[in-house]
Amino acid sequence: MVYLKTEEEIELIRESSLLVGKTLAELAKIIEPGVTALQLDEVAESFIRDHGGVPGFKGYNDFPNTLCTSVNEQVVHGIPSDRPLENGDIISVDCGVLKNGFFGDVAYTFEVGEVSAEVKALLETTKECLREAIKAAKVGNRLGDIGYAVQSLAEAEGYGVVRELVGHGLGKNLHEAPEVPNYGRRGNGMKLKEGLVLAIEPMINLGKRHVRQQEDGWTIVTADGLPSAHYEHNVVVRKDEAEVLSTHELIEEVLREKEEVK
Ligand code: MG
Ligand code: MG
C-alpha cells in the first residue's frame, strides 16, 4: 500500500529529516582518525533525544544502535564498534529519527583523514547518482526512471550498483512501499505521484556489485572487499521537480570549515 502524504504530514517528515541532518553535522565535527563509531553513536543518540526525537533504528528489528556505521567494504547496516577509525577510511553513517510520529532517514559517507583519489572519485559519483535520482523523482516519471538514473551514471564509471538493498517510501513507518531500487529501466514501474515521500539511497561499489551479509546478521559487505559508498536523502515527489526534505548542507558546511583550519 502506497500512502501519499498530506502537506501537514510532509512538514512533519521534513522536521524529522532535518533533525537527522543536524545530527550528522554534529558527527561531521568529530569524525577523524582515532574516533570510534560507538563514540559517534553516543553523540548521535544524545543529540536526537535532546532535540525531542527518538532514534529511529534502535530496536528496529532488534537493531542495537542509533546509527548504522559502515566502514570501507561495509556497504550498509554496520553495527557501531569500538575499533578506532583510521586515516584513509570511509564511513557511511546512516541515521533515522522518529519525531511527532514520522521518520526521517538520512545517510552520508564521510572521509576519515586523507582518502585515496580513487575513493574520493567513488564518493563524488555516488553523490552525483543521488542528485540525478532526485531529478528523476517527479510527477509523470516512473520508479524505473529513478533506478535508471543511478545505474546508468554509476556503471558508466565502471562501478557496481548494489541491488539487494533499496530505497523506500517513508512516513509513519521507516520503510514503506514502494521499494526504490538503484537500478532499473526508463519508463518502467509505478507512476510517481505528487505527495509520494521517498528515501532515495544509492549504494555504489568501487568494484563489482555483489554483496554478502556478515555473521552478525546485519552488516552488508562487498563480496570483493572493495570500498562502497552510500548517500541518502528524503524527498517528496512534486510536479516539476522533487522537493528535498532532508539536507546534507549542514554537514558540508562543517566539512568545509574543517578543511579551512587545516
Ligand atoms: Mg538510511
Ligand atoms: Mg533508508
Side-chain angles (χ1 to χ4, degrees), residues 6-18 99-104 245:
T6 66
E7 293 304 321
E8 291 74 20
E9 290 172 324
I10 289 166
E11 286 316 307
L12 295 175
I13 297 169
R14 189 196 311 273
E15 197 176 325
S16 298
S17 299
L18 287 179
K99 189 175 176 183
N100 301 317
F102 288 85
F103 282 90
L245 301 175

Side-chain angles (χ1 to χ4, degrees), residues 57 68 76-77 93-96 104-107 168 174-175 199 201 230 232 234:
F57 296 170
C68 291
V76 287
H77 300 170
V93 181
D94 193 350
C95 181
D105 179 12
V106 183
H168 48 91
L174 179 58
H175 296 124
E201 49 181 317
H230 176 218
E232 180 175 21
N234 305 148

